[in-house]
PDB file of all heavy atoms in Angstrom:
ATOM      1  N   PHE U  71       7.391  -5.275  -9.900  1.00  0.00           N
ATOM      2  CA  PHE U  71       7.143  -5.917 -11.192  1.00  0.00           C
ATOM      3  C   PHE U  71       6.593  -4.925 -12.204  1.00  0.00           C
ATOM      4  O   PHE U  71       7.045  -4.868 -13.354  1.00  0.00           O
ATOM      5  CB  PHE U  71       6.160  -7.078 -11.001  1.00  0.00           C
ATOM      6  CG  PHE U  71       5.556  -7.583 -12.272  1.00  0.00           C
ATOM      7  CD1 PHE U  71       6.227  -8.499 -13.068  1.00  0.00           C
ATOM      8  CD2 PHE U  71       4.304  -7.145 -12.691  1.00  0.00           C
ATOM      9  CE1 PHE U  71       5.659  -8.976 -14.243  1.00  0.00           C
ATOM     10  CE2 PHE U  71       3.731  -7.600 -13.852  1.00  0.00           C
ATOM     11  CZ  PHE U  71       4.402  -8.508 -14.629  1.00  0.00           C
ATOM     12  N   LEU U  72       5.622  -4.146 -11.765  1.00  0.00           N
ATOM     13  CA  LEU U  72       4.986  -3.190 -12.674  1.00  0.00           C
ATOM     14  C   LEU U  72       5.998  -2.171 -13.191  1.00  0.00           C
ATOM     15  O   LEU U  72       5.945  -1.754 -14.353  1.00  0.00           O
ATOM     16  CB  LEU U  72       3.837  -2.484 -11.955  1.00  0.00           C
ATOM     17  CG  LEU U  72       2.858  -1.682 -12.810  1.00  0.00           C
ATOM     18  CD1 LEU U  72       2.265  -2.547 -13.908  1.00  0.00           C
ATOM     19  CD2 LEU U  72       1.764  -1.089 -11.948  1.00  0.00           C
ATOM     20  N   ASN U  73       6.923  -1.792 -12.348  1.00  0.00           N
ATOM     21  CA  ASN U  73       7.960  -0.838 -12.758  1.00  0.00           C
ATOM     22  C   ASN U  73       9.024  -1.479 -13.649  1.00  0.00           C
ATOM     23  O   ASN U  73       9.774  -0.769 -14.329  1.00  0.00           O
ATOM     24  CB  ASN U  73       8.623  -0.225 -11.523  1.00  0.00           C
ATOM     25  CG  ASN U  73       7.697   0.709 -10.765  1.00  0.00           C
ATOM     26  OD1 ASN U  73       6.870   1.392 -11.360  1.00  0.00           O
ATOM     27  ND2 ASN U  73       7.836   0.753  -9.448  1.00  0.00           N
ATOM     28  N   ALA U  74       9.090  -2.826 -13.651  1.00  0.00           N
ATOM     29  CA  ALA U  74      10.153  -3.516 -14.384  1.00  0.00           C
ATOM     30  C   ALA U  74       9.749  -3.933 -15.790  1.00  0.00           C
ATOM     31  O   ALA U  74      10.617  -4.183 -16.626  1.00  0.00           O
ATOM     32  CB  ALA U  74      10.607  -4.749 -13.599  1.00  0.00           C
ATOM     33  N   ILE U  75       8.459  -4.045 -16.064  1.00  0.00           N
ATOM     34  CA  ILE U  75       8.045  -4.556 -17.372  1.00  0.00           C
ATOM     35  C   ILE U  75       8.005  -3.442 -18.413  1.00  0.00           C
ATOM     36  O   ILE U  75       7.760  -2.277 -18.094  1.00  0.00           O
ATOM     37  CB  ILE U  75       6.663  -5.253 -17.290  1.00  0.00           C
ATOM     38  CG1 ILE U  75       5.589  -4.309 -16.743  1.00  0.00           C
ATOM     39  CG2 ILE U  75       6.764  -6.521 -16.471  1.00  0.00           C
ATOM     40  CD1 ILE U  75       4.201  -4.920 -16.730  1.00  0.00           C
ATOM     41  N   ASP U  76       8.257  -3.823 -19.667  1.00  0.00           N
ATOM     42  CA  ASP U  76       8.242  -2.856 -20.767  1.00  0.00           C
ATOM     43  C   ASP U  76       6.824  -2.579 -21.231  1.00  0.00           C
ATOM     44  O   ASP U  76       6.420  -1.445 -21.411  1.00  0.00           O
ATOM     45  CB  ASP U  76       9.076  -3.390 -21.942  1.00  0.00           C
ATOM     46  CG  ASP U  76      10.539  -3.591 -21.549  1.00  0.00           C
ATOM     47  OD1 ASP U  76      11.055  -2.755 -20.763  1.00  0.00           O
ATOM     48  OD2 ASP U  76      11.147  -4.566 -22.027  1.00  0.00           O
ATOM     49  N   LYS U  77       6.057  -3.644 -21.423  1.00  0.00           N
ATOM     50  CA  LYS U  77       4.661  -3.489 -21.821  1.00  0.00           C
ATOM     51  C   LYS U  77       3.812  -3.250 -20.580  1.00  0.00           C
ATOM     52  O   LYS U  77       4.095  -3.783 -19.513  1.00  0.00           O
ATOM     53  CB  LYS U  77       4.175  -4.742 -22.549  1.00  0.00           C
ATOM     54  CG  LYS U  77       4.896  -5.016 -23.863  1.00  0.00           C
ATOM     55  CD  LYS U  77       4.324  -6.258 -24.538  1.00  0.00           C
ATOM     56  CE  LYS U  77       5.016  -6.539 -25.860  1.00  0.00           C
ATOM     57  NZ  LYS U  77       4.470  -7.755 -26.525  1.00  0.00           N
ATOM     58  N   LYS U  78       2.781  -2.465 -20.727  1.00  0.00           N
ATOM     59  CA  LYS U  78       1.917  -2.145 -19.598  1.00  0.00           C
ATOM     60  C   LYS U  78       0.482  -2.589 -19.884  1.00  0.00           C
ATOM     61  O   LYS U  78      -0.331  -1.818 -20.381  1.00  0.00           O
ATOM     62  CB  LYS U  78       1.948  -0.637 -19.298  1.00  0.00           C
ATOM     63  CG  LYS U  78       3.323  -0.062 -19.023  1.00  0.00           C
ATOM     64  CD  LYS U  78       3.911  -0.576 -17.721  1.00  0.00           C
ATOM     65  CE  LYS U  78       5.267   0.083 -17.442  1.00  0.00           C
ATOM     66  NZ  LYS U  78       5.919  -0.465 -16.247  1.00  0.00           N
ATOM     67  N   PRO U  79       0.175  -3.854 -19.582  1.00  0.00           N
ATOM     68  CA  PRO U  79      -1.217  -4.289 -19.739  1.00  0.00           C
ATOM     69  C   PRO U  79      -2.100  -3.621 -18.691  1.00  0.00           C
ATOM     70  O   PRO U  79      -1.619  -2.899 -17.802  1.00  0.00           O
ATOM     71  CB  PRO U  79      -1.141  -5.807 -19.483  1.00  0.00           C
ATOM     72  CG  PRO U  79       0.313  -6.144 -19.517  1.00  0.00           C
ATOM     73  CD  PRO U  79       1.041  -4.911 -19.102  1.00  0.00           C
ATOM     74  N   LEU U  80      -3.376  -3.856 -18.766  1.00  0.00           N
ATOM     75  CA  LEU U  80      -4.279  -3.410 -17.718  1.00  0.00           C
ATOM     76  C   LEU U  80      -3.985  -4.214 -16.455  1.00  0.00           C
ATOM     77  O   LEU U  80      -3.696  -5.412 -16.515  1.00  0.00           O
ATOM     78  CB  LEU U  80      -5.732  -3.618 -18.146  1.00  0.00           C
ATOM     79  CG  LEU U  80      -6.183  -2.826 -19.382  1.00  0.00           C
ATOM     80  CD1 LEU U  80      -7.585  -3.259 -19.805  1.00  0.00           C
ATOM     81  CD2 LEU U  80      -6.141  -1.323 -19.121  1.00  0.00           C
ATOM     82  N   ILE U  81      -4.045  -3.538 -15.315  1.00  0.00           N
ATOM     83  CA  ILE U  81      -3.691  -4.172 -14.042  1.00  0.00           C
ATOM     84  C   ILE U  81      -4.862  -4.101 -13.077  1.00  0.00           C
ATOM     85  O   ILE U  81      -5.452  -3.036 -12.868  1.00  0.00           O
ATOM     86  CB  ILE U  81      -2.471  -3.488 -13.395  1.00  0.00           C
ATOM     87  CG1 ILE U  81      -1.240  -3.559 -14.315  1.00  0.00           C
ATOM     88  CG2 ILE U  81      -2.167  -4.118 -12.028  1.00  0.00           C
ATOM     89  CD1 ILE U  81      -0.690  -4.941 -14.518  1.00  0.00           C
ATOM     90  N   ILE U  82      -5.187  -5.240 -12.469  1.00  0.00           N
ATOM     91  CA  ILE U  82      -6.089  -5.275 -11.320  1.00  0.00           C
ATOM     92  C   ILE U  82      -5.285  -5.832 -10.153  1.00  0.00           C
ATOM     93  O   ILE U  82      -4.854  -6.986 -10.173  1.00  0.00           O
ATOM     94  CB  ILE U  82      -7.320  -6.157 -11.589  1.00  0.00           C
ATOM     95  CG1 ILE U  82      -8.177  -5.545 -12.700  1.00  0.00           C
ATOM     96  CG2 ILE U  82      -8.156  -6.304 -10.308  1.00  0.00           C
ATOM     97  CD1 ILE U  82      -9.384  -6.396 -13.084  1.00  0.00           C
ATOM     98  N   PHE U  83      -5.036  -4.977  -9.164  1.00  0.00           N
ATOM     99  CA  PHE U  83      -4.287  -5.420  -7.999  1.00  0.00           C
ATOM    100  C   PHE U  83      -5.160  -6.291  -7.103  1.00  0.00           C
ATOM    101  O   PHE U  83      -6.340  -6.008  -6.891  1.00  0.00           O
ATOM    102  CB  PHE U  83      -3.779  -4.225  -7.189  1.00  0.00           C
ATOM    103  CG  PHE U  83      -2.545  -3.579  -7.743  1.00  0.00           C
ATOM    104  CD1 PHE U  83      -2.537  -2.239  -8.089  1.00  0.00           C
ATOM    105  CD2 PHE U  83      -1.373  -4.313  -7.907  1.00  0.00           C
ATOM    106  CE1 PHE U  83      -1.389  -1.641  -8.596  1.00  0.00           C
ATOM    107  CE2 PHE U  83      -0.220  -3.726  -8.417  1.00  0.00           C
ATOM    108  CZ  PHE U  83      -0.235  -2.384  -8.760  1.00  0.00           C
ATOM    109  N   THR U  84      -4.563  -7.358  -6.553  1.00  0.00           N
ATOM    110  CA  THR U  84      -5.237  -8.226  -5.592  1.00  0.00           C
ATOM    111  C   THR U  84      -4.334  -8.347  -4.369  1.00  0.00           C
ATOM    112  O   THR U  84      -3.178  -8.728  -4.492  1.00  0.00           O
ATOM    113  CB  THR U  84      -5.502  -9.618  -6.183  1.00  0.00           C
ATOM    114  OG1 THR U  84      -4.255 -10.239  -6.536  1.00  0.00           O
ATOM    115  CG2 THR U  84      -6.376  -9.510  -7.428  1.00  0.00           C
ATOM    116  N   THR U  85      -4.861  -8.040  -3.211  1.00  0.00           N
ATOM    117  CA  THR U  85      -4.021  -8.049  -2.016  1.00  0.00           C
ATOM    118  C   THR U  85      -4.859  -8.200  -0.767  1.00  0.00           C
ATOM    119  O   THR U  85      -6.065  -7.899  -0.776  1.00  0.00           O
ATOM    120  CB  THR U  85      -3.187  -6.755  -1.921  1.00  0.00           C
ATOM    121  OG1 THR U  85      -2.395  -6.776  -0.735  1.00  0.00           O
ATOM    122  CG2 THR U  85      -4.093  -5.536  -1.900  1.00  0.00           C
ATOM    123  N   ALA U  86      -4.236  -8.675   0.296  1.00  0.00           N
ATOM    124  CA  ALA U  86      -4.925  -8.790   1.581  1.00  0.00           C
ATOM    125  C   ALA U  86      -4.855  -7.497   2.377  1.00  0.00           C
ATOM    126  O   ALA U  86      -5.439  -7.387   3.445  1.00  0.00           O
ATOM    127  CB  ALA U  86      -4.308  -9.932   2.388  1.00  0.00           C
ATOM    128  N   TYR U  87      -4.151  -6.509   1.845  1.00  0.00           N
ATOM    129  CA  TYR U  87      -3.933  -5.267   2.588  1.00  0.00           C
ATOM    130  C   TYR U  87      -4.529  -4.084   1.838  1.00  0.00           C
ATOM    131  O   TYR U  87      -4.321  -3.920   0.640  1.00  0.00           O
ATOM    132  CB  TYR U  87      -2.433  -5.033   2.804  1.00  0.00           C
ATOM    133  CG  TYR U  87      -1.748  -6.193   3.468  1.00  0.00           C
ATOM    134  CD1 TYR U  87      -1.105  -7.169   2.700  1.00  0.00           C
ATOM    135  CD2 TYR U  87      -1.754  -6.344   4.850  1.00  0.00           C
ATOM    136  CE1 TYR U  87      -0.489  -8.256   3.299  1.00  0.00           C
ATOM    137  CE2 TYR U  87      -1.134  -7.421   5.457  1.00  0.00           C
ATOM    138  CZ  TYR U  87      -0.504  -8.369   4.676  1.00  0.00           C
ATOM    139  OH  TYR U  87       0.101  -9.441   5.276  1.00  0.00           O
ATOM    140  N   SER U  88      -5.248  -3.245   2.561  1.00  0.00           N
ATOM    141  CA  SER U  88      -5.870  -2.075   1.932  1.00  0.00           C
ATOM    142  C   SER U  88      -4.940  -0.864   1.917  1.00  0.00           C
ATOM    143  O   SER U  88      -5.259   0.154   1.323  1.00  0.00           O
ATOM    144  CB  SER U  88      -7.161  -1.711   2.680  1.00  0.00           C
ATOM    145  OG  SER U  88      -6.884  -1.432   4.048  1.00  0.00           O
ATOM    146  N   ASP U  89      -3.762  -0.990   2.535  1.00  0.00           N
ATOM    147  CA  ASP U  89      -2.859   0.161   2.669  1.00  0.00           C
ATOM    148  C   ASP U  89      -2.315   0.660   1.337  1.00  0.00           C
ATOM    149  O   ASP U  89      -1.888   1.804   1.228  1.00  0.00           O
ATOM    150  CB  ASP U  89      -1.668  -0.206   3.576  1.00  0.00           C
ATOM    151  CG  ASP U  89      -2.112  -0.620   4.969  1.00  0.00           C
ATOM    152  OD1 ASP U  89      -3.278  -0.371   5.308  1.00  0.00           O
ATOM    153  OD2 ASP U  89      -1.294  -1.189   5.697  1.00  0.00           O
ATOM    154  N   TYR U  90      -2.295  -0.207   0.321  1.00  0.00           N
ATOM    155  CA  TYR U  90      -1.682   0.162  -0.955  1.00  0.00           C
ATOM    156  C   TYR U  90      -2.669   0.734  -1.967  1.00  0.00           C
ATOM    157  O   TYR U  90      -2.313   0.971  -3.118  1.00  0.00           O
ATOM    158  CB  TYR U  90      -1.022  -1.070  -1.594  1.00  0.00           C
ATOM    159  CG  TYR U  90       0.131  -1.631  -0.811  1.00  0.00           C
ATOM    160  CD1 TYR U  90      -0.054  -2.740   0.005  1.00  0.00           C
ATOM    161  CD2 TYR U  90       1.398  -1.076  -0.896  1.00  0.00           C
ATOM    162  CE1 TYR U  90       0.997  -3.279   0.722  1.00  0.00           C
ATOM    163  CE2 TYR U  90       2.466  -1.610  -0.190  1.00  0.00           C
ATOM    164  CZ  TYR U  90       2.252  -2.708   0.617  1.00  0.00           C
ATOM    165  OH  TYR U  90       3.302  -3.233   1.318  1.00  0.00           O
ATOM    166  N   ALA U  91      -3.902   0.942  -1.542  1.00  0.00           N
ATOM    167  CA  ALA U  91      -4.932   1.347  -2.497  1.00  0.00           C
ATOM    168  C   ALA U  91      -4.566   2.619  -3.249  1.00  0.00           C
ATOM    169  O   ALA U  91      -4.652   2.689  -4.478  1.00  0.00           O
ATOM    170  CB  ALA U  91      -6.269   1.522  -1.784  1.00  0.00           C
ATOM    171  N   VAL U  92      -4.156   3.643  -2.521  1.00  0.00           N
ATOM    172  CA  VAL U  92      -3.836   4.922  -3.164  1.00  0.00           C
ATOM    173  C   VAL U  92      -2.672   4.765  -4.128  1.00  0.00           C
ATOM    174  O   VAL U  92      -2.718   5.235  -5.267  1.00  0.00           O
ATOM    175  CB  VAL U  92      -3.523   5.995  -2.103  1.00  0.00           C
ATOM    176  CG1 VAL U  92      -3.031   7.270  -2.782  1.00  0.00           C
ATOM    177  CG2 VAL U  92      -4.752   6.290  -1.267  1.00  0.00           C
ATOM    178  N   GLU U  93      -1.618   4.060  -3.684  1.00  0.00           N
ATOM    179  CA  GLU U  93      -0.453   3.854  -4.545  1.00  0.00           C
ATOM    180  C   GLU U  93      -0.846   3.053  -5.787  1.00  0.00           C
ATOM    181  O   GLU U  93      -0.390   3.332  -6.894  1.00  0.00           O
ATOM    182  CB  GLU U  93       0.645   3.121  -3.780  1.00  0.00           C
ATOM    183  CG  GLU U  93       1.931   2.967  -4.573  1.00  0.00           C
ATOM    184  CD  GLU U  93       3.067   2.404  -3.742  1.00  0.00           C
ATOM    185  OE1 GLU U  93       2.831   2.053  -2.575  1.00  0.00           O
ATOM    186  OE2 GLU U  93       4.183   2.320  -4.265  1.00  0.00           O
ATOM    187  N   GLY U  94      -1.734   2.060  -5.601  1.00  0.00           N
ATOM    188  CA  GLY U  94      -2.183   1.256  -6.726  1.00  0.00           C
ATOM    189  C   GLY U  94      -2.876   2.088  -7.780  1.00  0.00           C
ATOM    190  O   GLY U  94      -2.600   1.965  -8.974  1.00  0.00           O
ATOM    191  N   PHE U  95      -3.756   2.960  -7.370  1.00  0.00           N
ATOM    192  CA  PHE U  95      -4.460   3.799  -8.333  1.00  0.00           C
ATOM    193  C   PHE U  95      -3.526   4.840  -8.946  1.00  0.00           C
ATOM    194  O   PHE U  95      -3.687   5.213 -10.110  1.00  0.00           O
ATOM    195  CB  PHE U  95      -5.663   4.471  -7.672  1.00  0.00           C
ATOM    196  CG  PHE U  95      -6.820   3.537  -7.467  1.00  0.00           C
ATOM    197  CD1 PHE U  95      -7.270   3.226  -6.203  1.00  0.00           C
ATOM    198  CD2 PHE U  95      -7.447   2.945  -8.555  1.00  0.00           C
ATOM    199  CE1 PHE U  95      -8.327   2.351  -6.016  1.00  0.00           C
ATOM    200  CE2 PHE U  95      -8.512   2.073  -8.386  1.00  0.00           C
ATOM    201  CZ  PHE U  95      -8.955   1.779  -7.103  1.00  0.00           C
ATOM    202  N   ASN U  96      -2.549   5.301  -8.174  1.00  0.00           N
ATOM    203  CA  ASN U  96      -1.565   6.243  -8.732  1.00  0.00           C
ATOM    204  C   ASN U  96      -0.730   5.593  -9.830  1.00  0.00           C
ATOM    205  O   ASN U  96      -0.214   6.278 -10.715  1.00  0.00           O
ATOM    206  CB  ASN U  96      -0.645   6.769  -7.621  1.00  0.00           C
ATOM    207  CG  ASN U  96      -1.342   7.773  -6.721  1.00  0.00           C
ATOM    208  OD1 ASN U  96      -2.359   8.353  -7.095  1.00  0.00           O
ATOM    209  ND2 ASN U  96      -0.809   7.983  -5.524  1.00  0.00           N
ATOM    210  N   LEU U  97      -0.585   4.277  -9.773  1.00  0.00           N
ATOM    211  CA  LEU U  97       0.161   3.551 -10.799  1.00  0.00           C
ATOM    212  C   LEU U  97      -0.718   3.200 -12.005  1.00  0.00           C
ATOM    213  O   LEU U  97      -0.279   2.521 -12.923  1.00  0.00           O
ATOM    214  CB  LEU U  97       0.752   2.271 -10.201  1.00  0.00           C
ATOM    215  CG  LEU U  97       1.922   2.480  -9.227  1.00  0.00           C
ATOM    216  CD1 LEU U  97       2.246   1.184  -8.502  1.00  0.00           C
ATOM    217  CD2 LEU U  97       3.148   3.001  -9.959  1.00  0.00           C
ATOM    218  N   GLY U  98      -1.936   3.675 -11.987  1.00  0.00           N
ATOM    219  CA  GLY U  98      -2.816   3.482 -13.137  1.00  0.00           C
ATOM    220  C   GLY U  98      -3.564   2.170 -13.140  1.00  0.00           C
ATOM    221  O   GLY U  98      -4.010   1.721 -14.204  1.00  0.00           O
ATOM    222  N   ALA U  99      -3.697   1.537 -11.989  1.00  0.00           N
ATOM    223  CA  ALA U  99      -4.418   0.274 -11.929  1.00  0.00           C
ATOM    224  C   ALA U  99      -5.888   0.471 -12.272  1.00  0.00           C
ATOM    225  O   ALA U  99      -6.480   1.502 -11.953  1.00  0.00           O
ATOM    226  CB  ALA U  99      -4.289  -0.349 -10.534  1.00  0.00           C
ATOM    227  N   VAL U 100      -6.459  -0.527 -12.912  1.00  0.00           N
ATOM    228  CA  VAL U 100      -7.890  -0.501 -13.224  1.00  0.00           C
ATOM    229  C   VAL U 100      -8.706  -0.544 -11.941  1.00  0.00           C
ATOM    230  O   VAL U 100      -9.686   0.178 -11.775  1.00  0.00           O
ATOM    231  CB  VAL U 100      -8.277  -1.704 -14.109  1.00  0.00           C
ATOM    232  CG1 VAL U 100      -9.789  -1.784 -14.299  1.00  0.00           C
ATOM    233  CG2 VAL U 100      -7.574  -1.616 -15.450  1.00  0.00           C
ATOM    234  N   ASP U 101      -8.275  -1.397 -11.020  1.00  0.00           N
ATOM    235  CA  ASP U 101      -9.006  -1.548  -9.769  1.00  0.00           C
ATOM    236  C   ASP U 101      -8.091  -2.173  -8.726  1.00  0.00           C
ATOM    237  O   ASP U 101      -6.973  -2.609  -9.024  1.00  0.00           O
ATOM    238  CB  ASP U 101     -10.244  -2.423  -9.977  1.00  0.00           C
ATOM    239  CG  ASP U 101     -11.353  -2.096  -8.985  1.00  0.00           C
ATOM    240  OD1 ASP U 101     -11.089  -1.392  -7.991  1.00  0.00           O
ATOM    241  OD2 ASP U 101     -12.490  -2.547  -9.209  1.00  0.00           O
TER     242      ASP U 101
END
């Protein structure tokens, strides 16, 4: 989804899995 949208609002990822933390921050997530 993040790669598909034109506008880039601030993002806070919410997930049950901690495996994506590094990728999330690499995508510019706030938290």
